[in-house]
Amino acid sequence: MKKIFTLTLILIFATMQAQETTGSIAGKLTDKEMNGEPLPFANVIIKNTSKGTTSDYDGLYLLDNIEPGTYTVSFSFVGYETLEVPNVVVEAGKVTEVNTELGSSAASLDEVVITTVSRRDSEVALLIEQKNSIEIKESIGAVELAKLGVSDAATATTKISGVTSSEASGDIFVRGLGDRYLYTTMNGLPIPSDDVERKNIDLGLFPTRVIQNISISKAYSVENSADQASGNIDITSRELRGKDELDLGFQFGVNTNAAGQFGDFKVSPNQDDVYFGVYDQLIPTEYALNNQSWNPQTAVLPLNRKYQATAGKEFGDFRALLTASNATSFEYNKGVFRNYRTNVLEDQFTDVEQFKKTDNNTALLDLGYSINDNHRLKATSLFINKVTDEVYEAGRNGEGFVFEETNEAENLNQFVRDMNTKQTRLWVNQLHGDHNFLDGKNELEWSIGYNIVNADEPNRIRNEVNIGDDNFVQLARTGGFQQRKSRQEIDDKEYNALLIDQINFIKNEDDAEEGGKNVYLQLGGNYRNKERNFFSQFFGAEEVTYNTVHPTSIDDLSSVFTTQNFNSKRLQFNKLTPDRYNGILESYGGFANFNFGNEQWNVNVGARYQQDNLDVAFAVNNYPANLPNYASQSYNNVYPSINVKFSPNEDSNFRLAASKTITLPEFKEVAPFEYVSQTGQITRGNPNLTASNNYNLDLKYEMFPSSGELISLTGFYKKILDPINKVQARGASGVFSYFNASDEANIYGLELETKVDAVETDAYNLNIAGNITRMWHSQDLKDVYDANGNFIRTFRYNGNSKIGLQGASDWIFNASANFATESDNPFRATLVGAYSSDKIYALGSPDTQNLDLIDVQYNDEIIEKGFVTLDLIMTKEFNENWTIQFKGQNLLNPEIERYQAIKPLSGTMPEQDQTVRSYTRGAVLTLGVSYDF
């Protein structure tokens, strides 16, 4: 570690970053005499330089690798007037778009549209990057995110082909593979998870205001960690746009479900300790049983609101940008929850209500300093503080049922209330570098990062009571912690680093004499050290003598949890031994990557050696004392990759990619801590879980008809050995765990994506984009034997020896229609729709290991039903300062449903689908105003 720290210091003081030291000029030429048709084969030159090109068949041109400065660009065509456009400013790392018409009479300079945006903001620039990239990569930038009205990074990823999200788990799925198969980075460096239940951070924490673009590399490349199968999601953070920025904005909106709860929107008593969106606990949880209320409160004015500000300026060679926002949102849903074990109903609530209030404070600071054209330094710091307050209630209607809680003769039903406050504090700090030596023959890039995550549930309040006629309320009786307050803490610290040295043998992409060759060798390495400390403890209140303490109402449970009742021994305090685990992941790797490219072919071959050490030590309740209380795993492998691109012409590519990767178990999948959800379902880790090995193959054809258009078709195949699945555990009701339930999983798929300009006139334009993914997937359900061939267990059930992959939809659709007027103060409207078909939420399992009974005693898989979403975004600019926007999200407000096939216990009737969870989230209507100085 000392050597790495020393090396890092040497790198910082010995080198400076040169990100992109050149800029580009790009655009589209149209024919004035042909009613705006594309003008091919026109000459585009930069006066007083040797830089020049011609427009292609679609009128598109690109001048790349231009030194920063101010130029005059000349456009000419045989028989037409030459047009010279002066004062075209080129900035490093940015694209200046110059769009104009040529005709028999010269165009006015007022008719020339010039815009300068970051290379990673522009739709055109990102398509150019996709067109020229070596690997299979798709991106969505800030410009397109604004059109789509996307509010956060999680939603942004679902606009990319083959990407969907699970409403049930919140996970992002790429080509049917979920959280554990993804790898998330920010500016190329890994970022930790904020949630004990996930490997990757909640992308919903990243508002689009701090995002420059999001890219998904679906084909593995050796400079990235091999811990992925479906892809690498990289968030590029925001930078200064232009010379200076200053704008303010605010939004107000309402969730249609929450609107129906005005005056009765419940929040937890923890809200007394929330100030300006930050939770500061006043009473320690252990002492809160009799010193803090157990009753929910009512929120004042449950309207969504957001305030945001951005300020930035360039001071010579130094630039600075600060953007900050404060947002509050409210959600409410009502639905059904059922839990079955071995086809027998064990828990049922038909009136589940969930109230959710979220406060999110975000700040991003980006600093840059240019020493010269070859050396720049960039520092990024992102801070996010998110507080989520949730109130869950079930059984108020007197129909709640929990197995074995009461006898039928007692005529009692169950009521559950769970109030939880989650506070996530994320602080990401990065320093980046990129150096240009020997006139571009050697490019050195480096990055270092230090991340901190505190993801806590400081005071979770849960009550389980029995209710009857005449407002009778009885404390539940099957455990000492059914009336409890608990706290959970996650503290993550992470150090990471990246070093890439690229030796350019030939770099003459635009040089005809060299045939546009691009030949280089990359050498480099990565390091990651991630440590998590986890703590959880329950504090309970229990009757000393059963059925002697009776709250006056389910809305005033606090009436019995008094100091007097504890002192008089009517109630007793219970304290559970804390659950703890410590996890350390140390990963380091080195790689070599050789690239040969010419005008038509590009072949990139690489190999990565990676050593991964995963150590988890735990001390948790409900785990056998005679078993080891640690899990230690080590993997060292070589992970090869090959990416081939063939360009038959300048507007199309064929791509082939093949690679091998690994999927490491996560801390939460290994540590056998039992996390109890609001519904009472339990998820726990499995210390015997092992890594999966993945083999990936992609074949893609893409065509770029014009500067903003794309048509692509991709076929892909993945083979996963020992895939990790979330499975219903046997021998327990409502318990889920993680297993290598299969020897092998296979996924085949097709992706079709298109972006087309449907209508283009002088007054308005309409473009349509969409993608469709079709997947076929299956995995075998294996029998497990020990080293001596003795049978241990089976994962087969209900006649199933094969099953689909958890989280994979057979069909995924995304579509958008974008309308915009061509005026000084444009109006824009976007309609966005999405659909993903049914997917497996959790695999089923046998409830016995008697092979003669596994088709009789079993729990079937739980399916998350597909649904359609529809959003509408309308924006109007009134002048160069004022903009107003309306957003209607989730307008169809579909029912979110999970169901399970249940076989009647008697007779010969077939299985019937039963809903195990259902609710709607409500439509969200928002009106926002911004002012740009």
Side-chain angles (χ1 to χ4, degrees), residues 127-147:
L127 278 175
I128 290 172
E129 180 181 294
Q130 179 176 333
K131 179 178 177 180
N132 296 330
S133 68
I134 295 169
E135 71 271 18
I136 296 176
K137 180 179 181 181
E138 296 172 44
S139 302
I140 184 168
V143 173
E144 190 172 358
L145 291 176
K147 286 183 181 180

Side-chain angles (χ1 to χ4, degrees), residues 197-259:
E197 287 294 302
R198 292 185 175 90
K199 166 185 175 182
N200 294 281
I201 193 167
D202 176 10
L203 295 179
L205 290 173
F206 293 84
T208 48
R209 194 162 193 83
V210 303
I211 299 170
Q212 195 145 281
N213 84 65
I214 296 176
S215 65
I216 297 183
S217 298
K218 297 178 183 177
Y220 170 66
S221 187
V222 296
E223 65 268 21
N224 298 318
S225 171
D227 183 15
Q228 57 179 284
S230 57
N232 177 55
I233 297 178
D234 185 56
I235 301 169
T236 301
S237 62
R238 180 91 146 71
E239 292 182 350
L240 179 66
R241 298 167 183 162
K243 298 288 185 182
D244 55 69
E245 286 188 65
L246 179 61
D247 67 75
L248 303 173
F250 62 87
Q251 297 177 3
F252 292 96
V254 63
N255 179 295
T256 55
N257 282 7

Side-chain angles (χ1 to χ4, degrees), residues 376-525:
R376 294 173 63 203
L377 186 67
K378 170 182 161 68
T380 301
S381 185
L382 173 68
F383 178 76
I384 297 174
N385 188 96
K386 181 179 179 181
V387 176
T388 301
D389 186 273
E390 295 178 288
V391 176
Y392 169 96
E393 289 189 354
R396 181 178 287 272
N397 62 2
E399 298 176 1
F401 166 72
V402 176
F403 182 67
E404 290 186 343
E405 174 59 38
T406 58
N407 297 319
E408 186 175 348
E410 295 180 81
N411 197 29
L412 295 176
N413 292 88
Q414 282 69 56
F415 172 80
V416 175
R417 178 185 291 131
D418 192 302
M419 298 183 287
N420 194 12
T421 297
K422 300 179 182 180
Q423 176 158 263
T424 299
R425 290 176 176 171
L426 169 71
W427 192 20
V428 177
N429 299 280
Q430 298 180 342
L431 190 62
H432 300 272
D434 210 346
H435 308 277
N436 194 335
F437 300 108
L438 304 176
D439 294 326
K441 293 186 181 299
N442 187 269
E443 299 175 38
L444 180 67
E445 175 186 351
W446 57 270
S447 302
I448 57 173
Y450 175 63
N451 306 325
I452 299 174
V453 175
N454 303 119
D456 302 332
E457 297 179 9
N459 189 22
R460 182 176 177 182
I461 306 168
R462 186 173 179 89
N463 297 101
E464 300 174 12
V465 299
N466 303 318
I467 59 176
D469 297 333
D470 301 322
N471 292 320
F472 176 78
V473 181
Q474 176 191 85
L475 301 185
R477 64 186 74 155
T478 57
F481 293 92
Q482 287 178 286
Q483 324 303 323
R484 66 174 181 263
K485 297 189 177 184
S486 61
R487 66 186 179 105
Q488 176 179 292
E489 300 172 0
I490 299 175
D491 294 316
D492 278 11
K493 292 183 179 180
E494 178 175 329
Y495 304 87
N496 48 58
L498 167 69
L499 179 66
I500 303 176
D501 186 24
Q502 180 168 313
I503 304 167
N504 296 309
F505 301 106
I506 302 176
K507 191 177 182 181
N508 300 101
E509 298 97 325
D510 301 319
D511 191 333
E513 292 182 2
E514 291 288 348
K517 290 182 180 178
N518 189 20
V519 183
Y520 63 81
L521 174 66
Q522 276 187 347
L523 301 172

Side-chain angles (χ1 to χ4, degrees), residues 860-932:
D860 221 334
E861 62 270 13
I862 297 175
I863 305 296
E864 181 178 340
K865 197 171 183 178
F867 56 90
V868 177
T869 61
L870 189 68
D871 301 336
L872 174 65
I873 304 95
M874 295 186 292
T875 304
K876 172 62 180 175
E877 295 180 15
F878 290 100
N879 52 44
E880 63 181 12
N881 303 114
W882 288 100
T883 301
I884 188 169
Q885 184 183 72
F886 167 80
K887 290 194 293 186
Q889 297 169 292
N890 196 35
L891 292 174
L892 301 179
N893 194 19
E895 183 179 42
I896 312 301
E897 181 182 358
R898 300 201 295 272
Y899 64 89
Q900 187 175 20
I902 301 300
K903 185 177 180 62
L905 295 181
S906 60
T908 58
M909 293 181 62
E911 290 184 330
Q912 296 180 352
D913 291 340
Q914 299 291 337
T915 299
V916 297
R917 188 73 176 97
S918 70
Y919 57 91
T920 63
R921 295 195 62 184
V924 180
L925 309 177
T926 305
L927 186 66
V929 176
S930 63
Y931 185 84
D932 191 352

Side-chain angles (χ1 to χ4, degrees), residues 46-50 72:
I46 300 177
K47 294 195 68 175
N48 302 318
T49 74
S50 59
T72 296

